[in-house]
Every structure is written in structure tokens, then in C-alpha cells.
């Protein structure tokens, strides 16, 4: 039986820190406020938005939703972001992604003020991560995976870590964060040969494919620490990770569940970055 690495404990720990920081900032008349920009009314976005607002309320962060038609032009969206950049009552800006296909994402990423970029969209903030500077905004999902490892005191230095994902939102920034902490990182993807041999040699395996129950027991061994970032629906329409949990949990050392693992930490990372953005507003 594996040790189950539950996300809630990690999220609660981060939220405690956030509450203390908000109290300190309120004494300086600074009130962290998140602007959420949603285009259209995709049910997934609305449910994510509700969860963010609830989480903001629970720690004392103000939130403001700006809903726009999904047919908004790149120029109109860019102007809206400019207004939010200049609005001193807004600490951080979150633009829901993926953006509609007709929007030029490059323009939007470059428009958002790097000081308010709580979802790490701006190339400057991503560049910092790639330079090994982890003091600014980070993409929330890989940062959440790192926080899980740290909270459960899983050693990273000198360990072999296999990351199965090479996207800019998960795999690549995560590889940089792990390197910063002196892991030896192997980044895998759809063209990796004999993936099970790579994952079996690793001490820690992070998977983020978005393919329910893809990884069975052949990918792991009794010492494996398994961090499952994938979220998708299984054959019965139930939320599932990339790992076939029932088969893998009995044979590995540690594992994150889905739901209730990395995903439950992601929003707390976002909230923490809103507080950080509020701190940064002192330098503006
Ligand atoms: P993505 O851009 O589609 O990336 C998927 C990655 O998996 C790619 O690098 C792809 O390789 C690789 N891959 C696909 N099939 C493979 C295979 N058979 N063997 C090895 N590698 C394979 O997706 P994403 O945006 O990074 O998200 C990935 C997953 O993370 C999704 O399930 C998403 O829901 C989840 N996610 C979770 C959170 C959270 O908070 N928990 C947040 C964001 C995303 P190629 O590069 O070769 O195509």
C-alpha cells in the first residue's frame, strides 16, 4: 500500500501562509484583488471560476469577474488588459485559457503586465523560470507539483525524475524547477521509446498526458513516487488521472490521487501569486 499524497493538506498549509500575509498587507492598506477575464460561458470555465472565487473568499482575496463575448477581437481584449494593467485596485490578472482560436495569444501574453501576471503568461516571467529564478510568478500546475513534493518532504536533490509531458504549461517549467533543486531530469513525450524503462529507472515520475488510466503497474516499481497531474474522464465518465490508480497504488511507495491530488493545490498557488502581485504593487 502506498502513502497517499493528498493535496488538501498542502493547500491548507499554503492558505495559512496566505492569510497571514493578507493580514500584514491590510495593515499597509493593501488588499489583494484578482481580476478574472472569461470569454464566453464554457461550463468548464464557469465551474473553475466559481471554485476560484470561493477559494479567494476563503482567504480574504477580493475577486472581480470580467465576462466578455467569445467573439471579442484581439484588439478589444488587448485594450481590456491594458485597462486592468493600469487599474491600481487590481493586483493580479487571470485570463482563462485556451483562448478562442481567432485571438492572437502572442499579443495577449505580451500585453499583460509582468507585475500582474499571476498565471505566468508573459514571456518575461517564463524566462525567469528558465533562468532558475523561482522568486516570481510561476505556472500554477508545475509549481503545485513541486509544493506537493516539498510538503511531504520527498528528497529531490540528486534524484532521477521522469517528467512525462513537454508542454510549456506543465513539463518544461516543471523540469526547470526540478533542475533548480538539483534533480536529474528526463523529459519524456509521445516519441519517447520504451517509456516504461525510463519511468522504472526514475525515483520520481510525474505524468501529465491527459489520458485516463494510461499508466499501469508496468511503468513503476515498489520505490516509485508517482505524481499524477493528468485530469480527464475515464470510460465511465468519471474524473481520472493518467495513472490506473487501483492497479498502481498497491505496488508503489507514494502516489497522488485524482481528484484530490495536485489539482487541489493549483488554486492555492494562484491565490499565493495574487498576494505576491499585491506585494509587488508597492514597487509600482
Ligand atoms: P498537452 O499539451 O496535450 O501535453 C500532453 C503531453 O503528453 C505532451 O507532451 C505529449 O507529447 C505527451 N504525451 C501524449 N501522449 C503520450 C504518450 N503516449 N506517451 C508519452 N507522452 C505522451 O497537455 P497539457 O496542457 O500539458 O496538460 C496535460 C494534462 O495535465 C491534462 O490532463 C490536463 O488536464 C492536465 N492539467 C492539469 C492541471 C492541474 O491543475 N491538475 C492543470 C493543467 C493541466 P508530445 O509533446 O510529443 O505531443
Amino acid at each position: 500500500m502506498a502513502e497517499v499524497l493528498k493535496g488538501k493538506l498542502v493547500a491548507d498549509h499554503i492558505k495559512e501562509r496566505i492569510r497571514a500575509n493578507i493580514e500584514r498587507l491590510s495593515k499597509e492598506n493593501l488588499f489583494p484583488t484578482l481580476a478574472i477575464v472569461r470569454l464566453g460561458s464554457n461550463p468548464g470555465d464557469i465551474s473553475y471560476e466559481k471554485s476560484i472565487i470561493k477559494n479567494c473568499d476563503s482567504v480574504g482575496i477580493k475577486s472581480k469577474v470580467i465576462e466578455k463575448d467569445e467573439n471579442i477581437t484581439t484588439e478589444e481584449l488587448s485594450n481590456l488588459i491594458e485597462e486592468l494593467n493600469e487599474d491600481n485596485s487590481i493586483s493580479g490578472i487571470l485570463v482563462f485559457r485556451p483562448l478562442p482560436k481567432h485571438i492572437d495569444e502572442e499579443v495577449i501574453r505580451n500585453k499583460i503586465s509582468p507585475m500582474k501576471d499571476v498565471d505566468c503568461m508573459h514571456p518575461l516571467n517564463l524566462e525567469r523560470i528558465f533562468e532558475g529564478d523561482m522568486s516570481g510568478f510561476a505556472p500554477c500546475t508545475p509549481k503545485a507539483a513541486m509544493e506537493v513534493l516539498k510538503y511531504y518532504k520527498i528528497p529531490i536533490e540528486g534524484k532521477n525524475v521522469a517528467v512525462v509531458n513537454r508542454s510549456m504549461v506543465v513539463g518544461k517549467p516543471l523540469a526547470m524547477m526540478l533542475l533548480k533543486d538539483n534533480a536529474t531530469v528526463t523529459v519524456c513525450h509521445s516519441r519517447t521509446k520504451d517509456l516504461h524503462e525510463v519511468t522504472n529507472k526514475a525515483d520520481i515520475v510525474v505524468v501529465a498526458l491527459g489520458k485516463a488510466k494510461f499508466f499501469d503497474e508496468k511503468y513503476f516499481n515498489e520505490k516509485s513516487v508517482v505524481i499524477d497531474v493528468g485530469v480527464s474522464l475515464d470510460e465511465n465518465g468519471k474524473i481520472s488521472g493518467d495513472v490506473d490508480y487501483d492497479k498502481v497504488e498497491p505496488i508503489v511507495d507514494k502516489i497522488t490521487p485524482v481528484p484530490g491530488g495536485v489539482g487541489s493545490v493549483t488554486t492555492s498557488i494562484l491565490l499565493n501569486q495574487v498576494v505576491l502581485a499585491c506585494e509587488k504593487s508597492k514597487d509600482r
Side-chain angles (χ1 to χ4, degrees), residues 2-3 5 145 148-149 152-155 159-162 199 202-207 219-228 243 248 251-256:
E3 179 189 355
L5 309 173
V148 170
L149 292 172
Y152 287 100
K153 299 192 167 43
I154 294 164
K159 299 293 173 186
N160 288 318
V161 185
T199 55
D203 302 295
I204 301 170
V205 183
V206 185
V207 296
Y219 291 88
F220 308 104
N221 60 58
E222 73 285 358
K223 290 187 185 150
S224 303
V225 175
V226 184
I227 307 292
D228 191 351
V243 174
V248 171
I251 67 129
V252 296
D253 185 33
K254 300 181 201 308
I255 187 166
T256 57

Side-chain angles (χ1 to χ4, degrees), residues 141 164-167 169-171 188-191 195 208-211 214 229-232 242 262-263 266:
T141 303
V164 192
N165 179 300
R166 60 172 163 179
S167 75
V169 278
V170 184
C188 309
H189 46 79
S190 63
R191 314 284 168 87
L195 181 61
L209 260 61
K211 294 186 178 172
F214 179 93
V229 178
V231 184
S232 50
D242 288 343
V262 176
T266 310

